[in-house]
Amino acid sequence: MRGVAGVAGDEAGRGARAPGRGGWAFHVALAAAAISLFIFVLAAGTPRLLTIVPDDAAYYFEIAENASAGRGLTFDGLNRTNGFQPLWLAVLVPVHAVVRGEPETMLGIFLLLQIAFLAAAAVLFHSVLARRYPPAVAFLGGLLFVFAVFLPAVNGMESAILVFCLALALHDASRSAVVSGGSGMRHALFGALLGLVVLARLDMIFLPAVVGAACLARIPRGREGRRAAALRCAGLAAGVVLVVGPYLAFNLVSFGGLMPISGMLKSSFPSISFSGFVPPGLGRRGLFGLLLAAGFLAWFGARYGDLRRDRSERFPFRSGMALAAAAVLLHYLHTILFMKWAVFAWHFMPYAFLGCVVACEPLERAFPGALAGFRRAAYALVFALVIAAGLFGAVRSFGRPVERSWCAAAYDAAVWVRRETRADAVFAMKDAGTFGYFSRRSTVNLDGVVNGLELQRALRDRDLGDYLARLRVAYYVQHAFWNRPDIVAGAYEELRVSFRSHQYEANSDELALYRSDEVYRSRPYFDGPYETVFLVWKMQRP
């Protein structure tokens, strides 16, 4: 993992090993997974695909389409926004510009593109493991990657490009000395890779921060070697800044702040808003990576002196794993202390990535060389458990019932709207990604993550009604009603809704919605444990 943390990686190091001959087995497994996903994407209809693609992914698709058509960075065509992770959007814009297909076609293309990125990442990832662990261990680590990272990252979000950038950094640093040696230019190139990781997901800033701190700590106090070490640190910082700096400057000039509006609304920093020790969305894969990171960091700290003295223990490699683990723990602390809402499973994808590397450490102790007797039986058992757990998770994820996906219900409503309403009709909705993209209608996002600051001021000033009137909103949409059997049954006369300004922590004025103004009502479906319906109302004007 010294590649991820960028501590060191020398081919001549005593801990390095030549790639094992067992790599063919991993590549067969990877090919089987990639081909299966490829067939799934081509064969499944759009509602089925939307069971694995969260609503937020469609924000990227719509903004990319608008940007490629010259309409600027906007989701609804009315408000400018920077509520997205920049690198994934930068990939999607040229794809939309070249293909210009219908939303259903573009969804399939984007998922196939993610499969390609992730397959490349898996090859890079396994090649690093194969140089540092016995073939049997590298194979198990690669299988863990396929099930815990590759399959879940095919989700339409920024996950695939993030994993690809992490794998590039892992592979690059594992083949050349960084931080502990090398030139300033070499460090600048590695810093640029870390910058790409940050652009893939901005909360990955903890990774270059930890690597930079380690680099500074290695500057000797005496004169000898001090200049060279300082140049390495300067090169690393310059690489990160040259990649990330233009994006931050663009945000500051165009939107008045360094961070995207989505991050600004979700974070309470510097005020603490403790969300509990198990943040929403962490899941089993995230917890797996988090516990392994914490355990490895504790082990490394306890044995630091011995590991540093014993070159055969691959000290640089394990130092890198420790730095990556420290970055994961800092990310975790930031999440539980400062993230107020909307924390999802894809936020923790780097945890699973790191976990697949760290897991190779205990596996190497269990299976250090040739397998025979008890070790062969134990290895077969571990292999069977990985396959069984991985296939169970894959079937559960990709076989999720359509009727339990509110995004599929949003798609059905969007198709109806595309057929039954005027092309210039304007809608308003929270969680507006899937509906807005597939309806081909301007849809104002009311939770604000892909909107502008004007909405936040309107919510604070209890001026939502006038705000929607100024934007000529004609329809209001809502996808979930929890514990409201009267609305599910249509046995209500009036419903009043308000919205939260997460910037000002204030509630808006209320919108009055009437049963008589419903223009679309879906069949009942489930949003989590709640039976609900998808509704569209015609807005009344004062």
Side-chain angles (χ1 to χ4, degrees), residues 455-471:
L455 171 64
Q456 298 302 310
R457 292 189 291 268
L459 296 175
R460 177 198 62 189
D461 298 339
R462 303 182 65 82
D463 190 33
L464 178 60
D466 288 342
Y467 170 82
L468 296 179
R470 289 194 298 273
L471 297 180

Side-chain angles (χ1 to χ4, degrees), residues 340-420:
K340 298 185 292 186
W341 65 293
V343 178
F344 299 108
W346 55 87
H347 296 190
F348 305 102
M349 193 63 68
Y351 294 22
F353 187 101
L354 174 62
C356 294
V357 184
V358 174
C360 292
E361 289 289 307
L363 287 173
E364 185 182 29
R365 281 163 175 72
F367 311 112
L371 301 178
F374 172 77
R375 278 201 172 95
R376 182 185 295 274
Y379 184 87
L381 177 61
V382 172
F383 171 77
L385 289 175
V386 170
I387 291 292
L391 290 178
F392 175 79
V395 170
R396 187 176 180 183
S397 295
F398 291 90
R400 187 178 297 115
V402 173
E403 59 272 15
R404 286 191 173 270
S405 168
W406 76 262
C407 287
Y411 173 73
D412 291 339
V415 171
W416 181 89
V417 163
R418 197 161 63 191
R419 184 179 66 245
E420 300 293 338

Side-chain angles (χ1 to χ4, degrees), residues 284-310:
R284 288 186 293 271
R285 286 183 292 267
L287 185 61
F288 157 80
L290 178 64
L291 293 178
L292 283 175
F296 180 83
L297 194 59
W299 174 84
F300 182 84
R303 294 199 56 197
Y304 179 80
D306 294 338
L307 294 175
R308 187 170 186 177
R309 286 189 295 270
D310 188 353

Side-chain angles (χ1 to χ4, degrees), residues 30-40 115:
L30 175 62
I35 292 171
S36 298
L37 281 175
F38 191 89
I39 294 171
F40 174 81
I115 294 171

Side-chain angles (χ1 to χ4, degrees), residues 250-269:
F250 169 77
N251 270 355
L252 184 62
V253 171
S254 301
F255 296 95
L258 295 176
M259 295 301 296
I261 189 171
S262 51
M264 182 187 71
L265 297 181
K266 294 176 183 180
S267 175
S268 67
F269 186 84

Side-chain angles (χ1 to χ4, degrees), residues 7 9 32 58 120 125 201 245 258-259 293 303 313 481 485-486 494 538:
V7 172
F125 182 87
R201 233 200 112 73
L258 295 176
M259 295 301 296
R303 294 199 56 197
E313 289 288 334
F481 304 90
D486 56 330
E494 179 185 25
K538 179 75 173 178

